[in-house]
Structure formats: structure tokens, C-alpha cells
Amino acid sequence: MEVLMPEPQIYVERTLAIIKPDVIDKEEEIEDVILRSGFHILQKRKLQLSPEQCSNFYAEQFGKMFFPNLTAYMSSGPIVAMVLARNCAVSYWKEMLGPSNSLRARITHPHSLRALYGTDELRNGLHGSLSISSAEKEIRFIFPEAILEPLPTGQRARDYLNLYVKPTLLAGLTALCRERPADPM
């Protein structure tokens, strides 16, 4: 009887998730929901942002009435930032979060994470990237060492393997076979 193994998945879409200061004590619970929803946590970091860093992170919100309160809130305590990956990561995470206003989320999306963990319009408990491009920018901000180049798939992956990996492996394995150690143990 032949056992069929599913093809391994390469998750090429990533998004940034942030557990905000007021719900940091729910970190394990939220992480469990994330994992049960099919996400993989590629990177995770606990940190506290300065008001300056928060201003830079939320630069697109600059000039809006809530901007000073947002930067004060986000710098008020530690946060947990995670790079999440899965198919359609950005849209799926946004769907799980629900509306940014937690009060509205309780009415329109009562099972969303912001409805469950947020307290008001500003303190909504969690952050999610709005688009793939903003996810890349935000991930680079929080995880500057992250490599975000898209992974090749399909024919591009096969071409890469044939051009770079297989010749190197063949040369290495051939050299290893020629060197047969006298006592391999």
C-alpha cells in the first residue's frame, strides 16, 4: 500500500501581527488562535517601541486627530510582533482581526480578535498589515534582518535547483565517494 504524502507547502505571503500593550497578557491565547487558524509564525519578537519609533511605524497616520494618542498608546508598554505566513496571509489576518474599531467589531464581527480583545476605537488589541507592500515595509521595520525576497515556485524553482543546487550536490557527493575513509566510524 502506497502512502500518499501531501506536497510540502512553501508559504510566500507574509504579514505582520502585533499584540499591543494592553493585551500582552493574552499572548499565549492569541498565539494559539493564530496557529489553529493555519498560520506559521516565522519570527517573533517582544519589544518596547519608543514614541519616536511608533511615529515612524505609523507615519501614514501622521496628521490625523488620533495620531498622538496612538503613538503614546503603542509606546506605553511592551508589544509582541510576529511574522505570520500562509496562503493569502494578509487578507486572512485582516479578516480574523475584524474592524479596527473594537466597539464596531463587537456588533458587526463579534467573533473577530478585535471584538474579543480590544476595548475601544484606539485600543483595539492587535495590529495587522493592510496590504502585501505594507506588510513588507512593516516587517522590515520590526525585523530589519528579515529576508523578504519572494521564494521561487514551479518552473522557476526547478530551474534554480537545476542550475545551482544539483551541480553543487553532484560535485560534493562525487568528491565524498572518492575519499572513502578507511574507518568511517
Side-chain angles (χ1 to χ4, degrees), residues 58 60-72 121-122:
Y58 287 108
E60 291 149 8
Q61 307 298 333
F62 183 77
K64 295 187 178 171
M65 292 290 290
F66 61 85
F67 183 76
N69 291 334
L70 176 63
T71 56
E121 188 173 349
L122 178 67

Side-chain angles (χ1 to χ4, degrees), residues 22 100-103 106 114 117-125:
D22 55 329
S100 60
N101 183 331
S102 296
L103 302 174
R106 285 192 189 102
R114 287 180 173 151
Y117 297 105
T119 53
D120 58 35
E121 188 173 349
L122 178 67
R123 299 180 189 286
N124 59 11

Side-chain angles (χ1 to χ4, degrees), residues 9-185:
Q9 293 280 328
I10 297 176
Y11 299 101
V12 294
E13 190 169 307
R14 299 170 185 96
T15 191
L16 182 72
I18 295 178
I19 300 174
K20 295 182 178 181
D22 55 329
V23 293
I24 198 84
D25 59 323
K26 304 283 188 189
E27 175 188 349
E28 286 182 29
E29 189 177 314
I30 293 168
E31 211 173 295
D32 185 54
V33 171
I34 290 168
L35 293 171
R36 283 189 287 115
S37 298
F39 283 99
H40 292 273
I41 299 173
L42 302 181
Q43 289 181 282
K44 179 179 163 183
R45 179 177 179 200
K46 190 174 193 172
L47 68 152
Q48 183 157 355
L49 298 173
S50 69
E52 256 182 357
Q53 289 171 314
C54 291
S55 293
N56 290 335
F57 185 80
Y58 287 108
E60 291 149 8
Q61 307 298 333
F62 183 77
K64 295 187 178 171
M65 292 290 290
F66 61 85
F67 183 76
N69 291 334
L70 176 63
T71 56
Y73 162 54
M74 288 301 291
S75 62
S76 67
I79 62 170
V80 173
M82 295 172 279
V83 178
L84 306 181
R86 68 167 279 158
N87 294 330
C88 303
V90 173
S91 60
Y92 197 76
W93 180 239
K94 283 182 358 185
E95 184 181 317
M96 285 180 64
L97 288 175
S100 60
N101 183 331
S102 296
L103 302 174
R104 186 176 304 126
R106 285 192 189 102
I107 296 165
T108 61
H109 298 77
H111 301 292
S112 69
L113 294 174
R114 287 180 173 151
L116 299 171
Y117 297 105
T119 53
D120 58 35
E121 188 173 349
L122 178 67
R123 299 180 189 286
N124 59 11
L126 296 133
H127 168 85
S129 303
L130 295 175
S131 66
I132 293 173
S133 61
S134 67
E136 289 175 359
K137 186 181 112 201
E138 292 172 356
I139 290 168
R140 278 194 189 96
F141 184 90
I142 301 289
F143 299 94
E145 73 287 352
I147 298 172
L148 295 174
E149 284 76 30
L151 301 172
T153 59
Q155 188 59 45
R156 285 182 50 216
R158 285 187 288 281
D159 291 346
Y160 179 84
L161 289 171
N162 289 331
L163 188 61
Y164 298 105
V165 178
K166 286 182 180 177
T168 304
L169 283 175
L170 182 61
L173 291 172
T174 303
L176 188 61
C177 288
R178 288 185 183 138
E179 288 294 321
R180 293 190 195 129
D183 184 14
M185 304 306 245

